[in-house]
Amino acid sequence: MTQFNFFLKLLRESFRDLLPIIVVILFFQLAIIQTVPENWLSTAIGLTIVGVGLAIFLQGLEIGIFPVGEGLAREFAKNGTFIWILIFGFLIGFGTTIAEPALAVIADKAASISSGRIDATMLRLVVAGSVGFAILLGVYRIIKGHPIHFYIIAGYILVVGVTFFAPKEIIGLAYDLGGVTTSTVTVPLVAALGIGLATSIKGRNPVIDGFGLIAFASLTPMIFVQIYGIAVYNLVDAKQVSEVVVHATVSNVVTITPFSILSGIIAVTKDVLPILVIILFFQYIVLKKKINNLKTVFLGFALVIIGLYAFILGLEMGLFSLGETMAYQLTKGNSVLVIYAFSFAIGFSTTMAEPALMAIAKKAKEISDGKINDFALRLFVALGVAIGIALGAFRIVDGGHIHYYIIVGYIVVIILTFLAPRYIIPIAYDSGGVTTSTVTVPLVAALGIGLATNIEGRSALIDGFGLIAFASLFPMITVMLYGIIIEKLGVKSDTEIEAANILKDALVDAENMDLATVNIDGGNRRHSLPMDFSAVVIIVPADKKIDAIEAASKAGASGVTVLKADGIGLEGIGNFYRTSFEANDVLLLFLLPSGMVNKVIKSIIHTLHITTTGKGVAFAFPLSHMKGISLNRHDIFTYRKDHKNPENNLKSQEEEDKFNQELERELNDTSNNS
């Protein structure tokens, strides 16, 4: 039941990620083009299959691949030898890329429109090998502590150099495949490996050194695929090409039969199998450790296979046909501005909803101590993608050569690399890779191929590819501009803000960790004084929440934090990893002066009968370094350390009045000094 609830959650998230695309498409289809596509039913079914397949795929990743993969990354980051870390990095890059669904679709599409000269399987092997090499090189850089921009700039020079020798039919495809490689499967495992290494190696910074592996994985395929293109177009004779044409995979017509489903599942199994082999080899042979919950891991792999097949099938039925149809309709319109507006809107909306980007943005905010705002980072990345796709559409309409645009873009990136703050550079490089998702890639690729097919004088192979490359390039520019802007505006980290506020308020002893800093009467006036605090934790059924809070309030508690509690019994503890549980209990957290603890716990356990017939758990533990809690003056007077058991009489009231007068004077002195 809990796994089913978890699947429903992933299903909602999958369709949430599809929603921005659907909204943009509906707007342009109904308001601008003002027609209903003939194959709208097939498209709707395809989109539904994409959403369901993506949810199944992600659940398989969560319960099968990620737990073991992340565990391996942590083990090698902490204990692995130099050579084994490099080998692991290569194999993880290769294994995750060969299973990438977006790469499979783009490779099949390239094979189809090249009349078989480009072999889909060989192309995927080339790309996977290049990503494996990229991760190996990136891991080596983290271990050695080399600045990332030296590697990236050298890579850009190689990309541009090879471009002048590569056949024009392969250039756009090569640039696109640099963005396709870093998506649903690759990003989480690769990011975990990089940050884990940078955190575990002494002298490395998780922000500066931990990011960047995704950038490497986006760069090397451009070089390797162009070299592959040079070999194919110059060394393969006509006879060999004609044989390839006979076996070329054409994905335009989708026929669903029991045999086709079985064949598709077998094909996907062959793609996912390398990841399983890599994980089992390193887990049992190298680390010599057993995998916990082995049945769950294999179930996860089975779900990944089913989800991948459904995902690819849905793309063929839905997004590709829809993208090509809309591209045809847009090219028949009277204004090319509509094409650019559609490209911009698709780029911006899909990127803002991209799960991989959300994860990277949150991690960037976390390890930058709040200096990088996650929403602002996503906004600048989405803006870069939108500009890139719109410019890429202009390039197809105008008929310009893609490498001129890309070369100018790289020059801008290199210039900004020397102007932007150092901490933003690896994040900017990585942002170019995470923007091209398993949902975005097929639609954008279909748009480019559709435009090139329907505009006179354009070639689907030469001009149709390249939009993904633009979507990967421009976020690097906009994110580095974001870093320059926040530096110019003087944006501070959370620690710097707190230090500035302390200095501004001239708060006496705020940094004295032996004193508690409290807000007086819940207002903005603060003071530091000796007090002991404890945490009282109450776990009760959800329907008893109000009773427990009322009982604590009667005993003097003035605030509570309410959290949902996921319960799991002994019978389910062996399958807890990456599992979602239904919250039936609540956890109530009270932060109280230590002298108030007994009174509050007694009131709650008696009211809820916890020690007799009722259900629940109550416990307390001492706290240290209390900063920021709100208390009223009476509780401060009563429970401060230097107060000795006040009796409820005139003398204690006089003492309390005197204490309040002294407290007020200290607060006023502090305010005047600031």
Side-chain angles (χ1 to χ4, degrees):
M1 185 64 184
T2 54
Q3 288 290 350
F4 181 71
N5 290 333
F6 185 40
F7 172 73
L8 291 179
K9 175 176 176 289
L10 289 173
L11 193 62
R12 288 194 299 270
E13 292 175 351
S14 297
F15 282 102
R16 179 205 64 192
D17 297 336
L18 284 171
L19 185 61
I21 304 175
I22 295 172
V23 170
V24 171
I25 288 173
L26 285 176
F27 173 78
F28 277 87
Q29 190 74 55
L30 300 178
I32 306 299
I33 301 175
Q34 297 182 348
T35 60
V36 177
E38 294 180 2
N39 60 341
W40 67 268
L41 182 59
S42 173
T43 299
I45 295 173
L47 287 171
T48 303
I49 294 175
V50 166
V52 175
L54 188 58
I56 296 173
F57 173 71
L58 290 174
Q59 186 168 29
L61 289 180
E62 289 292 329
I63 69 174
I65 294 179
F66 284 169
V68 181
E70 291 170 0
L72 281 169
R74 288 193 297 269
E75 287 292 331
F76 276 106
K78 294 178 182 178
N79 308 314
T81 59
F82 180 78
I83 188 66
W84 278 118
I85 294 176
L86 294 178
I87 295 172
F88 178 67
F90 175 85
L91 292 178
I92 281 294
F94 184 92
T96 54
T97 303
I98 202 70
E100 182 57 53
L103 173 61
V105 175
I106 294 299
D108 286 342
K109 183 62 65 174
S112 172
I113 64 177
S114 69
S115 300
R117 185 182 286 269
I118 297 172
D119 180 74
T121 301
M122 181 59 67
L123 181 62
R124 292 173 64 191
L125 288 172
V126 170
V127 174
S130 68
V131 173
F133 174 75
I135 304 304
L136 182 150
L137 189 64
V139 168
Y140 174 81
R141 179 196 72 84
I142 294 174
I143 293 172
K144 293 297 183 181
H146 298 159
I148 187 174
H149 54 278
F150 293 154
Y151 288 79
I152 297 296
I153 292 172
Y156 287 158
I157 293 172
L158 279 174
V159 170
V160 173
V162 175
T163 296
F164 289 103
F165 297 96
K168 59 184 179 179
E169 293 87 354
I170 206 76
I171 294 173
L173 176 64
Y175 287 158
D176 270 2
L177 289 173
V180 171
T181 55
T182 48
S183 189
T184 307
V185 183
T186 316
V187 168
L189 283 176
V190 169
L193 177 62
I195 294 172
L197 277 173
T199 303
S200 303
I201 298 175
K202 186 177 180 181
R204 302 293 175 267
N205 185 311
V207 179
I208 297 173
D209 301 302
F211 289 94
L213 289 182
I214 299 169
F216 279 66
S218 299
L219 179 61
T220 53
M222 302 183 203
I223 302 171
F224 281 60
V225 171
Q226 288 189 94
I227 294 174
Y228 165 71
I230 293 172
V232 167
Y233 280 85
N234 289 283
L235 302 180
V236 178
D237 59 35
K239 181 179 179 180
Q240 290 173 302
V241 172
S242 63
E243 291 174 356
V244 175
V245 171
V246 174
H247 301 288
T249 301
V250 179
S251 59
N252 292 333
V253 179
V254 179
T255 303
I256 302 176
T257 64
F259 179 76
S260 69
I261 293 174
L262 180 62
S263 300
I265 291 176
I266 292 174
V268 172
T269 302
K270 292 179 181 178
D271 296 334
V272 175
L273 195 60
I275 302 177
L276 181 60
V277 172
I278 292 167
I279 288 175
L280 292 177
F281 173 78
F282 279 91
Q283 188 75 37
Y284 286 96
I285 305 300
V286 179
L287 295 177
K288 297 179 180 178
K289 291 185 177 181
K290 293 182 178 180
I291 297 178
N292 296 326
N293 309 317
L294 191 60
K295 291 182 179 178
T296 304
V297 171
F298 279 105
L299 173 62
F301 272 90
L303 292 176
V304 164
I305 291 168
I306 295 171
L308 269 177
Y309 172 71
F311 180 86
I312 294 172
L313 177 64
L315 290 179
E316 289 294 322
M317 293 180 61
L319 286 182
F320 255 124
S321 61
L322 182 62
E324 291 169 349
T325 301
M326 289 200 68
Y328 172 78
Q329 293 169 327
L330 290 171
T331 54
K332 299 305 178 184
N334 296 324
S335 175
V336 293
L337 294 178
V338 175
I339 298 176
Y340 306 148
F342 176 74
S343 303
F344 185 94
I346 279 291
F348 188 87
S349 60
T350 54
T351 305
M352 285 300 291
E354 172 54 42
L357 177 59
M358 292 180 188
I360 291 295
K362 288 179 181 178
K363 181 60 69 175
K365 179 179 181 180
E366 175 188 331
I367 63 177
S368 68
D369 194 23
K371 190 162 189 173
I372 297 172
N373 181 277
D374 54 341
F375 180 79
L377 179 61
R378 288 170 55 204
L379 195 65
F380 273 82
V381 171
L383 186 63
V385 173
I387 294 172
I389 295 178
L391 185 61
F394 169 80
R395 196 268 311 175
I396 296 175
V397 172
D398 182 63
H401 296 290
I402 185 173
H403 51 280
Y404 294 138
Y405 289 83
I406 298 297
I407 290 171
V408 172
Y410 285 161
I411 292 173
V412 174
V413 169
I414 292 172
I415 292 173
L416 288 175
T417 297
F418 292 100
L419 299 177
R422 192 179 172 200
Y423 62 82
I424 204 72
I425 293 172
I427 297 172
Y429 289 155
D430 275 0
S431 296
V434 300
T435 55
T436 44
S437 74
T438 48
V439 177
T440 313
V441 165
L443 182 58
V444 171
L447 176 64
I449 293 170
L451 286 174
T453 302
N454 294 294
I455 295 177
E456 187 177 354
R458 304 293 177 266
S459 164
L461 187 59
I462 297 174
D463 302 298
F465 291 101
L467 286 185
I468 301 169
F470 280 83
S472 300
L473 172 62
F474 279 83
M476 292 189 275
I477 297 173
T478 54
V479 170
M480 281 194 272
L481 287 174
Y482 167 66
I484 294 172
I485 290 170
I486 62 177
E487 285 298 311
K488 294 293 184 182
L489 295 177
V491 176
K492 296 180 173 61
S493 66
D494 292 340
T495 302
E496 291 170 335
I497 292 171
E498 183 63 18
N501 287 337
I502 290 173
L503 183 63
K504 177 183 176 182
D505 294 343
L507 186 58
V508 178
D509 287 329
E511 301 248 294
N512 186 342
M513 295 297 108
D514 294 327
L515 300 179
T517 302
V518 300
N519 296 336
I520 310 298
D521 294 327
N524 294 324
R525 308 178 78 186
R526 297 181 293 276
H527 197 60
S528 298
L529 65 164
M531 291 188 71
D532 288 329
F533 285 86
S534 295
V536 173
V537 179
I538 310 293
I539 304 174
V540 294
D543 58 351
K544 296 294 183 182
K545 176 180 68 175
I546 301 301
D547 295 337
I549 294 174
E550 288 179 350
S553 179
K554 290 178 182 177
S558 57
V560 62
T561 299
V562 182
L563 303 171
K564 291 182 179 180
D566 295 341
I568 176 173
L570 292 177
E571 70 282 355
I573 196 70
N575 191 27
F576 74 95
Y577 204 20
R578 294 282 178 174
T579 307
S580 175
F581 304 98
E582 189 174 355
N584 295 315
D585 298 334
V586 294
L587 185 150
L588 307 177
L589 176 63
F590 300 90
L591 305 179
L592 307 169
S594 295
M596 193 184 293
V597 170
N598 289 345
K599 190 177 178 181
V600 170
I601 290 183
K602 283 181 180 180
S603 178
I604 293 174
I605 65 174
H606 291 162
T607 301
L608 274 64
H609 311 292
I610 287 178
T611 54
T612 54
T613 60
K615 292 183 178 180
V617 177
F619 60 93
F621 51 88
L623 300 174
S624 64
H625 304 80
M626 177 57 71
K627 302 290 180 182
I629 195 170
S630 296
L631 291 177
N632 59 49
R633 293 170 187 259
H634 175 74
D635 288 342
I636 294 173
F637 168 73
T638 304
Y639 297 108
R640 73 190 193 281
K641 275 185 179 181
D642 56 352
H643 192 81
K644 299 179 180 179
N645 282 328
E647 300 292 337
N648 189 18
N649 54 28
L650 182 62
K651 182 179 179 182
S652 63
Q653 184 61 51
E654 290 175 351
E655 288 180 353
E656 183 171 348
D657 291 340
K658 182 179 179 181
F659 172 81
N660 285 333
Q661 291 174 3
E662 293 175 354
L663 179 62
E664 188 66 29
R665 183 167 59 252
E666 291 180 8
L667 291 171
N668 290 334
D669 289 344
T670 300
S671 177
N672 292 332
N673 290 334
S674 64

